[in-house]
Amino acid sequence: MDHLPVEVVGNILSRLRGARDVVIASATCRKWREACRKHLQTLSFNSADWPFYRDLTTHRLEILITQTIFQTTGLQGLSIMMDDANKFSAATVIAWLMYTRDTLRRLSYNVRTTPNVNILDICGRQKLESLVLAHNSITGVEPTFQRFPCLKSLSLSYVSISALDLNLLLSACPMIEALELVSLEIAMSDAQVTIELSSPTLKSVYFDGISLDKFILEADSIEFLHMKDCVLELFELIGNGTLKHFKLDDVSVITLDIMETSESLEVVDVNHFTMVWPKFYQMISRSQKLRKLRLWDVVFDDDDEIIDLESIAAGFTQLTHLSLSYDLKDGAAHYSLQGNTLLENVTVLELGWTVINDVFSIWVEELLRRCPNLKKLIIYGVVSETKTQGDCQILATFTWSIVQLMRKYIHVEVQFEYE
């Protein structure tokens, strides 16, 4: 260790999880103190990492953080994530940011202050590449002054912001590639809440806990879109057909339109979603490169509606991974299996049930027949805590039928996942 260059020691210390560990390590010797002072790149204060933070008074905590930050030079990454137990002095927090902003590349900031600190004013026009902002408010965005020329990743969680300011903030980031919006508090100017965002450079977008009337996103370079726990009347994605990965997780949306960007889709992952299958299929049918299709716990608007396996087999010939789980009804399940087109490239098949019955066994058998090159089958099921003798008999019969069935497909690996 004595022969390691001091720059390398600084690099090692930068990979420690928390500021407390850095301070302890820096006390090892004079060389390590120098590494911490001159070559430390990253520093993190997180109340979740060290519960002792919660035992300190706010004033003592401010002094501790101030002393640690001011002993460094050239920090590139700073994370200050404190829970709502403390409200810091705005002047102190501004001093932290002003001291580090010239060299800072990554900032994660969840600090409640009195009064509110305007991060955009302090860190705008600097070299910041990643900004994670939580439990804060943003008002009166000025794209000319509060500009982020190098910012590639922006995350806003539990932030209060108007639809206009959000669009202006995005326009102030000409290099942005990743956007994450979680449980935003959208300031309403009228009865209908509408957000229109536009960015030619965005590649990855994640929305969580967003409730709006209309959301229109124009992103010419988007490749990844994930929406979770959102309630929307209308969502429209406008682009140039670059979207590769599309995921919906427990989303309620009346009108969903991604058709214009769907031709390059490789992964479609839908979970806990109510759909009209013909419309949904039409929306993704242009994606001839689709490799993975997951339709899990989907519900149909019409009780007689089904997922047409023939249209999947014929429309997505490059499919290698298929996952299906929905309520199987006797007549509808048989209808969904009509046709003879094989899923020749499918090597992984995931099937699930909510209520086990004889139809599920038939469904599994037919899907195995349609996948001649299958290598792995995973069956997911729900087993209730309280089981009658009849329930146990049904489960036993199903298990026996699967064992008998798999004797015909000894080359296929089988897994069971019960919850």
Side-chain angles (χ1 to χ4, degrees), residues 5-113:
V6 68
E7 295 86 355
V8 175
V9 176
N11 207 319
I12 294 171
L13 293 178
S14 297
R15 280 156 173 74
L16 294 179
R17 179 177 177 85
R20 174 177 177 268
D21 296 329
V22 173
V23 172
I24 292 173
S26 68
T28 303
C29 61
R30 183 181 300 172
K31 183 177 182 179
W32 283 38
R33 283 194 295 275
E34 181 187 354
C36 184
R37 186 174 64 255
K38 294 183 178 179
H39 302 287
L40 189 69
Q41 299 173 11
T42 305
L43 202 53
S44 173
F45 302 89
N46 192 321
S47 54
D49 291 344
W50 192 36
F52 184 66
Y53 280 134
R54 298 186 179 94
D55 298 332
L56 298 175
T57 64
T58 302
H59 181 63
R60 178 62 186 150
L61 193 53
E62 287 178 351
I63 293 174
L64 187 66
I65 295 175
T66 301
Q67 288 177 337
T68 308
I69 290 177
F70 278 49
Q71 285 176 5
T72 67
T73 57
L75 273 183
Q76 295 183 18
L78 178 61
S79 175
I80 309 174
M81 307 296 283
M82 295 293 166
D83 56 28
D84 55 5
N86 300 98
K87 270 202 170 185
F88 293 86
S89 163
T92 303
V93 174
I94 290 172
W96 300 341
L97 298 174
M98 292 293 288
Y99 181 77
T100 58
R101 69 174 186 173
D102 289 343
T103 58
L104 215 55
R105 300 291 187 273
R106 301 170 303 278
L107 173 63
S108 297
Y109 179 89
N110 179 12
V111 182
R112 291 165 176 80
T113 61

Side-chain angles (χ1 to χ4, degrees), residues 101 180-181 189 199 217 289 316 325 327 344 367:
R101 69 174 186 173
E180 181 178 293
L181 304 178
S189 57
S199 170
L217 175 63
K289 301 177 182 178
F316 308 124
S325 174
D327 189 14
E344 294 187 357
L367 279 164

Side-chain angles (χ1 to χ4, degrees), residues 46 112 223 236 243 285 385 393:
N46 192 321
R112 291 165 176 80
E223 296 179 1
E236 182 180 359
L243 187 65
S285 60
E385 294 182 6
Q393 185 60 47

Side-chain angles (χ1 to χ4, degrees), residues 125-143:
R125 297 181 297 177
Q126 301 298 321
K127 300 175 182 178
L128 206 61
E129 296 176 3
S130 173
L131 174 61
V132 177
L133 189 62
H135 295 101
N136 213 280
S137 61
I138 297 175
T139 56
V141 176
E142 295 287 346

